[in-house]
Amino acid sequence: MFSRTTDISEEASTDCPLRPRSRPLLALGEMVVLLIALLIPACGGLYRADYYSRFVQGTCTITSGEVTSEQHHVKNGSDYTTYAPSFSYTVSAPGTSGVDSSGYDGPDHTSFYDEAEAQDIVNQYAVGTTTTCSYNPANPHEAFLVFQGYSQERAWSVFWRSLFLTGLAQMVTLLVWYLWVRKLMILHERGQLTRGHVVRHETRQSKNGRYTVSIIEYTGITILKRPIRGELTVSGHLSLKSPIPVCYDPYRPTRARRGDRPTQIHIRGAIIATLLLLASISGFTCLITFLLA
């Protein structure tokens, strides 16, 4: 996968560089990793459909009931309160003497803007009343007096929406991979060395304030033995006319970096950083999927 290194004293070598290599295993690995990163969040809806399909019907005995309230704060100051019925009950599950649980409905939860509407539901379940309910046989503590279920149609809707959102988010990872990691791999494999010089400085503006960059001008030689002039932008204020080593790709001389040819350590570090970014985005989209589901 990797080729020899070149001494930093070389100047715009005219040696015939390595031809671009096809990397079918690398491309396959990229697709597999990306597919996994897309499917893990997207399958959240399918997992929930399978999970709730295991619930069975049983009976529950009401032990208490009340109306709970939740204050919602809005940025524009229009705060509001919602109300929901809440019960404590005992689940009659086979092999147990009764399991305590609480709540009202699920997997979605009903809430009202009018407290009286929530109180009407509480009044329907007097203490001591035995009513039908649904519970998880593997964990009877998880039970609902009103169980809406989770349809396959809903699961697939969540799947496609999450797949779309995750795909958009992972575009960031793809850009980082192809503009950084792949660039390092290519320059390690067939990069040529030349020397550039700092030709000017520029002051730029960011959210954190103004900063200075140095513009490095260099000359490379294409695969067709034609000279080409390129520029690199690096952060910091380097001395004008100071010589700077530049590594460039003779097949695309504008693909270049400051310094010597990248080493395997540079490439491994970039791969690890990109995979961490991919995992972070997948974790974030998993949370989004949970809200969608």
Side-chain angles (χ1 to χ4, degrees), residues 51 128 213 246 263 282:
Y51 180 81
V213 297
V246 174
T263 65
S282 291

Side-chain angles (χ1 to χ4, degrees), residues 80-91:
Y80 63 95
T81 303
T82 56
Y83 304 90
S86 180
F87 299 90
S88 294
Y89 41 87
T90 301
V91 182

Side-chain angles (χ1 to χ4, degrees), residues 231-282:
E231 287 187 349
L232 274 177
T233 302
V234 298
S235 59
H237 191 285
L238 303 178
S239 301
L240 288 174
K241 302 300 181 181
S242 59
I244 304 293
V246 174
C247 181
Y248 71 95
D249 176 13
Y251 282 86
R252 190 188 297 174
T254 54
R255 178 192 284 143
R257 72 186 290 267
R258 174 190 175 188
D260 199 356
R261 178 177 290 138
T263 65
Q264 293 189 25
I265 294 177
H266 292 136
I267 296 173
R268 289 170 184 151
I271 291 174
I272 292 173
T274 307
L275 290 178
L276 290 175
L277 174 64
L278 180 141
S280 299
I281 293 177
S282 291

